[in-house]
Amino acid sequence: MGSISSRGPLGGLPRRVRVVEVGPRDGLQNEAARIATADKIAYVDLLSAAGFATIEATSFVSPRAVPQMADAAEVLAGIAPRPGTRYVALVPNMKGFERAVAAGARAIAVFTAASESFARRNINMTIAESLDAFRPVVEAARGVGIWTRGYISTAFGDPFEGAVAPSAVLDVAGRLLDLGVDELSVGDTIGVATPRGVEEVLGLLLRHVPAARLAVHYHDTRGTALANVLLSLQMGISIVDASSGGLGGCPFAPNATGNLATEDLLYLLHDLGIETGVDLDQVVAASRFIAGKLGHAPASRYLQARGAA
Ligand code: COA
Ligand code: ZN
């Protein structure tokens, strides 16, 4: 068992990290089994009880593109909001934004990519077209006080093109910030990043973007996600996306297995003496609940090591 350190964090690390739980969206969207709306709601409520300040609850995308998210409005309207938790809804365009607002969304995320091939597969737009589509969305959101996040997928590599230039990531980041998003999440959609790429991409971004507005989003496809997180924290990042149980992947990125598992991340952070405000045992309870509905074991190494305890 890891010891929860009463000492301060290791040198150079932030005292506190905000973990953004993306399991209900990034996780579930990739699951073949259709999950009942009531079970999605119960899953989000369990995650709320664990204490997350930010949960990405669902997405208002085309139901033809992602059938699992067709019940987004019912999910968002059905959850019991916890004071202190921000529930984010992913939207690809104005239609999604209007649906999200009608369902009561107070926070949204728009998403594009650092590479053209992935943008085309994922949202059927060029990067420039996607930014044009987001402009009215972010404007409308800001006009009514809705918090906004911008995702940059494939920031460390593209499944079809391979390498992605850090300057391309910076370019998209600058355009999203110009639109007025509150926070950027820089994503390794296919889990190819190693600390070398992290140093290159974040090193460049941090010269232009305040760390307080930058989140990192790693997938653990090749087992490098926690190494990437540690370096990111040492570089000044304090917002990290993760998915309970390690659920997820991306239906538009072949063989992109799970997101970094929230449990694995919390185990590391807490042992380093970093506060998150999140209760690991309650995350485990949420992951076990949803695993029972999915019919397969979660990928989280922490969960596997813990067995039935
Ligand atoms: N919500 C619901 N329906 C939507 C929608 C939304 N946000 N946006 C578009 N649609 C509908 C349109 O009304 C249209 O329906 P119709 O054929 O019945 O008239 C249909 O979807 C096609 O619309 P179009 O504007 O031509 O979009 P497209 O087919 O080029 O798809 C996206 C573009 C962005 C809507 C679609 O690719 C998408 O939703 N992608 C999301 C992928 C995703 O969630 N990825 C997760 C990150 S890994
Ligand atoms: Zn992801």
Side-chain angles (χ1 to χ4, degrees), residues 22 25-26 217-219 249 259:
V22 299
R25 196 280 301 174
D26 202 358
H217 182 114
Y218 296 123
H219 281 224
N259 288 271

Side-chain angles (χ1 to χ4, degrees), residues 50-294:
F52 291 99
T54 316
I55 299 176
E56 195 158 280
T58 187
S59 65
F60 292 85
V61 297
S62 158
R64 222 177 303 147
V66 187
Q68 184 74 268
M69 294 291 138
D71 58 358
E74 291 82 356
V75 171
L76 200 61
I79 59 184
R82 185 190 79 102
T85 301
R86 171 176 275 152
Y87 299 89
V88 181
L90 192 77
V91 307
N93 52 23
M94 207 59 204
K95 175 160 187 175
F97 176 72
E98 281 158 8
R99 289 176 58 212
V101 170
R106 298 300 307 148
I108 58 152
V110 295
F111 55 112
T112 187
S115 57
E116 293 291 354
S117 306
F118 189 76
R120 174 60 64 193
R121 293 284 177 112
N122 194 28
I123 48 180
N124 195 26
M125 292 182 237
T126 64
I127 296 168
E129 284 167 353
S130 71
L131 293 162
D132 285 344
F134 302 155
R135 184 167 296 109
V137 172
V138 177
E139 246 166 48
R142 282 159 60 91
V144 291
I146 288 178
W147 185 87
T148 56
R149 172 176 241 231
Y151 278 103
I152 306 176
S153 298
T154 59
F156 301 87
D158 174 284
F160 314 104
E161 294 173 22
V164 169
S167 59
V169 184
L170 177 63
D171 184 58
V172 176
R175 289 164 196 265
L176 283 168
L177 289 170
D178 285 347
L179 292 184
V181 299
D182 293 295
E183 181 171 299
L184 281 178
S185 173
V186 182
D188 182 18
T189 314
I190 54 171
V192 289
T194 70
R196 184 179 295 279
V198 170
E199 186 176 48
E200 280 175 14
V201 172
L202 293 185
L204 181 61
L205 287 177
L206 285 166
R207 272 189 253 146
H208 303 272
V209 184
R213 295 177 72 184
L214 270 185
V216 290
H217 182 114
Y218 296 123
H219 281 224
D220 206 22
T221 318
R222 291 167 182 78
T224 55
L226 281 180
N228 295 338
V229 166
L230 185 59
L231 180 60
S232 304
L233 300 182
Q234 287 170 326
M235 293 179 76
I237 299 291
S238 61
I239 313 166
V240 182
D241 297 0
S243 165
S244 102
L247 286 182
C250 176
F252 306 94
N255 303 323
T257 50
N259 288 271
L260 169 59
T262 309
E263 291 89 339
D264 301 6
L265 174 65
L266 291 174
Y267 176 75
L268 176 77
L269 295 179
H270 292 172
D271 196 66
L272 289 173
I274 297 171
E275 291 169 21
T276 64
V278 179
D279 184 312
L280 176 52
D281 287 339
Q282 288 187 270
V283 179
V284 168
S287 295
R288 286 181 175 156
F289 168 80
I290 200 67
K293 310 295 172 188
L294 294 171

